[in-house]
Amino acid sequence: MDVDPVWLESSLWVGKKRYRAALTGWHLNWTELDKKNRDKKTVSVPVSEVIGVEEGRVQVLPQRSVAKDTDREFTVFYVKRSSSSRSYGLLWRLGRTQFCCPSRDLRDQWMTQLRIALKTHSPSRPHRLLVFINPFGGNKQGRQIYHSLVAPLFELAGISSHVVVTERANQARDHILKKDLTGFDGVVCVGGDGIFSELLHGVIGRTQQEAGLSEHDPSLTLQSCDLHIGIIPAGSTDCVCFATVGVNDPVTSALHIIIGDSQPLDVCSVHHRSSLVRYSVSLVGYGFYGDVLAESERHRWMGPLRYDYSGAMVYLSNRSYAGVIQYLPADSQLSNPRDNTRCLSGCSVCSNGTERLFPHSPGASSLYSSHFSQFSSDTEGEWVSVEGRFRAVSLTCMSSSCPRSPLGLSPSAHLADGTGDLIIVRDTHPLGFLTFLHRHTSTQDQFDLPFVDVHRVKAVRFSFPTGEEEDKDEERERVNDGGMTEEGKRPSRSSSHKHLVERGEERGQKDFLCGLCCSKAPTVSVWNCDGEILPHTEISCRVHGQLVRLYARGIEDGSATPTRKCQDGHRNCKGRCVLNY
């Protein structure tokens, strides 16, 4: 096994204890020595996870402080992991160790070599970020979270940021589409899934514009985006952050951004005829999930409690809807939604997906040229059609896990394999559907029910049964003004409110609570697309493999021990080395 070359090695003091510190090509190690100069425990930190190096005894959080008269000391900041009792992933914290050198010259030598190592082994770290803060999301703590927890970490890591506090819906999306982004390595949102969706649409839209591609062509394979997206969770729902990091924690997310982690992510495009409606990464849901969102939009004054209230009301209404679902199956030999795997950091399925989606070919090094190979493979295979009445129809490109449902809508879904999971819940008795919903909060298999089908797919279409299209199209088109009817315009939260107002005027607001006591229930539901109501019912969806990249690395397995023995051949390890995990 190869051993890292030692760049610098010397004796250092941490408090009153003496250590032998060594900086190798990839790790910073320090080993405690006893009175007889024998090795005790060793701590090893990957250079890629060192956040910064400062002169003196420095503290950054909760507020910055620097001790005086410390000309022989320096402080190393790094990633320190701990398990979370409320989530499956690992919390990241800012570790800090203060070293004392025998001389000032040796201190300067250590600081110089550490900073050179950071530049050498962390070339993907961002240097300049465009940050959007949603001051209205969640508990309206976005500004405070950024300035008290995130900004000090960015400053420590030498990252400059331009901050935009949004004042209206889609401001972040419009900024990305229209402003000059030269010099920015990535864009970051401080908020929930709503402002993330704005960044998603802005980054994808800008990339397609620069590539000369039309987003409105449902048959076109889109250009992969180079600009990374970071998420600092501060909203009512932070599903995307939870499903890609494993925890909803601002410090954890900020540290992932700082070290330049890169997680590819599949994106689903939703079209109505020849017009793009919206992009989705977590949920495109019809029936129950659409009705819950529509009902909850009328009770935003209740805060997060509106989802519990609306879910109970929609469940009691006991509705199902007629439809025709067509889907293009993915290759079942590669993976399937019932294989009991989890998409964790370093996922082999997603790694194989990268090789399959972007094959290396002589003379074609760009993702743009290789990405077009996806479409030819997507056209292979036969479409499968399912007709009937459904309680819920869902398509997700990730597990869609959240604190209330730690395993998510589809526990074995993958972030970057170029597929989505289609979940079909047929009409059933209320108790059966309640069992399905309850299993999302436990470890029981929600797909192990006779009325539930799940398929790994590359594309999906939804339409009405033959003979019902005309009446239902008229019913839906009457409330269509809030949608994307002109090229270049997308629905916003304000248009969702407009859509609901018009729908309420057409049917009467009592319809959403009429299932138990009224003679006529709605015959058409709405689509919930990542928390936004779509203005159309007949849609087509297509999964674009690894279309965007997040500052994340996937969920690190929190069930594993936070510390582990060194297996990388560290010098003088002898089984006593503990990696900082």
Side-chain angles (χ1 to χ4, degrees):
M1 182 178 292
D2 294 335
V3 178
D4 290 344
V6 178
W7 288 19
L8 182 62
E9 184 174 18
S10 72
S11 292
L12 300 176
W13 292 82
V14 178
K16 295 183 179 181
K17 296 181 180 180
R18 188 166 66 91
Y19 287 77
R20 183 180 61 253
L23 175 62
T24 68
W26 299 99
H27 291 84
L28 171 63
N29 313 312
W30 57 97
T31 303
E32 184 181 351
L33 302 175
D34 62 15
K35 294 181 179 180
K36 296 183 179 181
N37 210 37
R38 293 176 299 192
D39 291 357
K40 297 177 72 174
K41 187 178 70 173
T42 295
V43 177
S44 180
V45 176
V47 171
S48 61
E49 295 184 3
V50 173
I51 304 302
V53 185
E54 295 283 320
E55 294 183 4
R57 294 197 301 268
V58 181
Q59 182 172 312
V60 175
L61 296 177
Q63 61 184 8
R64 186 177 179 85
S65 64
V66 181
K68 298 180 179 180
D69 301 326
T70 56
D71 59 351
R72 293 183 300 156
E73 295 179 306
F74 67 96
T75 304
V76 178
F77 297 91
Y78 50 90
V79 172
K80 190 173 184 179
R81 293 167 172 81
S82 64
S83 60
S84 172
S85 60
R86 296 186 297 176
S87 63
Y88 190 76
L90 292 174
L91 287 170
W92 283 19
R93 288 291 176 259
L94 185 65
R96 177 174 62 103
T97 299
Q98 298 165 347
F99 296 96
C100 182
C101 302
S103 67
R104 182 172 182 175
D105 289 341
L106 183 59
R107 183 206 66 178
D108 293 342
Q109 189 178 357
W110 269 103
M111 293 185 61
T112 299
Q113 290 298 321
L114 280 167
R115 288 170 177 170
I116 291 174
L118 283 178
K119 292 181 179 179
T120 303
H121 298 297
S122 304
S124 61
R125 292 194 178 195
H127 302 287
R128 190 163 180 245
L129 296 171
L130 177 59
V131 180
F132 295 94
I133 300 177
N134 178 8
F136 309 108
N139 295 322
K140 301 181 179 181
Q141 298 294 311
R143 292 189 198 185
Q144 180 181 350
I145 288 173
Y146 177 77
H147 290 294
S148 63
L149 297 177
V150 179
L153 296 177
F154 284 176
E155 180 182 358
L156 172 66
I159 297 175
S160 63
S161 58
H162 176 70
V163 179
V164 177
V165 180
T166 59
E167 299 176 348
R168 60 175 177 84
N170 289 324
Q171 181 179 344
R173 182 204 69 187
D174 295 342
H175 188 110
I176 296 172
L177 286 172
K178 300 174 183 179
K179 299 293 184 178
D180 182 12
L181 302 183
T182 303
F184 288 109
D185 300 305
V187 291
V188 176
C189 61
V190 183
D193 291 331
I195 193 168
F196 166 78
S197 183
E198 290 192 32
L199 268 62
L200 179 77
H201 283 80
V203 169
I204 296 176
R206 186 183 183 101
T207 302
Q208 309 322 307
Q209 288 177 10
E210 294 175 347
L213 303 177
S214 173
E215 300 173 271
H216 296 274
D217 185 350
S219 66
L220 187 66
T221 300
L222 301 178
Q223 164 76 1
S224 295
C225 306
D226 293 329
L227 196 66
H228 280 59
I229 301 175
I231 309 172
I232 304 296
S236 298
T237 59
D238 299 292
C239 173
V240 179
C241 181
F242 194 92
T244 55
V245 177
V247 293
N248 285 335
D249 177 68
V251 171
T252 300
S253 295
L255 294 175
H256 278 288
I257 294 171
I258 288 170
I259 68 174
D261 272 341
S262 182
Q263 171 64 51
L265 190 65
D266 297 336
V267 178
C268 175
S269 62
V270 182
H271 285 80
H272 173 68
R273 296 171 184 168
S274 296
S275 180
L276 174 70
V277 183
R278 202 165 182 86
Y279 293 111
S280 167
V281 296
S282 60
L283 172 68
V284 183
Y286 183 77
F288 178 80
Y289 297 109
D291 290 351
V292 169
L293 177 62
E295 178 67 15
S296 69
E297 287 293 302
R298 295 193 176 91
H299 304 283
R300 295 187 66 85
W301 57 271
M302 297 176 66
L305 288 176
R306 67 185 184 273
Y307 298 112
D308 295 331
Y309 170 80
S310 301
M313 291 298 100
V314 172
Y315 168 76
L316 292 174
S317 67
N318 193 31
R319 303 185 203 114
S320 63
Y321 301 95
V324 177
I325 304 167
Q326 296 174 295
Y327 62 90
L328 184 63
D331 188 347
S332 60
Q333 295 183 350
L334 299 175
S335 65
N336 71 79
R338 300 292 303 277
D339 58 15
N340 293 322
T341 61
R342 289 297 308 274
C343 185
L344 301 174
S345 180
C347 174
S348 61
V349 174
C350 294
S351 297
N352 294 334
T354 301
E355 298 176 2
R356 176 170 46 85
L357 296 171
F358 307 112
H360 298 289
S361 57
S365 59
S366 69
L367 291 183
Y368 177 72
S369 59
S370 63
H371 199 58
F372 273 89
S373 64
Q374 289 189 47
F375 179 63
S376 61
S377 63
D378 282 353
T379 57
E380 297 176 0
E382 296 184 359
W383 287 78
V384 179
S385 181
V386 179
E387 182 175 346
R389 295 191 65 84
F390 309 105
R391 284 296 189 99
V393 179
S394 306
L395 176 65
T396 180
C397 292
M398 58 174 60
S399 66
S400 294
S401 57
C402 65
R404 286 197 171 186
S405 179
L407 298 181
L409 293 177
S410 186
S412 294
H414 289 272
L415 296 174
D417 66 342
T419 69
D421 284 356
L422 173 65
I423 306 165
I424 302 173
V425 183
R426 300 175 183 272
D427 192 14
T428 185
H429 55 86
L431 184 58
F433 188 59
L434 182 62
T435 301
F436 169 75
L437 295 177
H438 180 263
R439 288 189 178 184
H440 286 78
T441 65
S442 67
T443 57
Q444 288 184 284
D445 184 1
Q446 61 260 44
F447 303 141
D448 189 23
L449 294 167
F451 53 88
V452 179
D453 297 315
V454 58
H455 308 278
R456 188 143 291 170
V457 301
K458 294 183 285 187
V460 175
R461 300 168 185 156
F462 184 87
S463 60
F464 296 121
T466 304
E468 299 184 26
E469 295 95 333
E470 184 175 351
D471 293 341
K472 293 188 177 181
D473 276 344
E474 290 178 358
E475 182 179 2
R476 298 295 294 128
E477 293 300 332
R478 286 199 301 267
V479 292
N480 228 10
D481 295 339
M484 184 178 189
T485 56
E486 299 179 20
E487 188 165 331
K489 296 183 179 179
R490 296 180 177 83
S492 64
R493 185 165 295 280
S494 59
S495 67
S496 291
H497 282 299
K498 180 180 179 182
H499 170 81
L500 287 171
V501 169
E502 291 175 345
R503 180 172 179 174
E505 291 173 351
E506 290 289 336
R507 297 181 182 175
Q509 190 160 340
K510 67 179 182 179
D511 280 352
F512 265 84
L513 302 177
C514 69
L516 295 177
C517 56
C518 298
S519 59
K520 183 179 180 181
T523 59
V524 179
S525 182
V526 295
W527 284 97
N528 175 349
C529 181
D530 288 0
E532 292 288 343
I533 295 175
L534 298 186
H536 308 284
T537 303
E538 293 191 310
I539 61 173
S540 61
C541 305
R542 181 181 173 192
V543 180
H544 299 264
Q546 303 189 11
L547 186 59
V548 298
R549 285 186 172 271
L550 305 185
Y551 285 120
R553 65 171 55 179
I555 298 176
E556 293 182 308
D557 191 354
S559 64
T561 305
T563 59
R564 66 180 186 184
K565 295 295 182 182
C566 162
Q567 298 177 351
D568 297 324
H570 292 306
R571 196 163 179 261
N572 300 324
C573 174
K574 298 179 182 178
R576 291 187 292 272
C577 179
V578 178
L579 292 177
N580 189 53
Y581 271 65

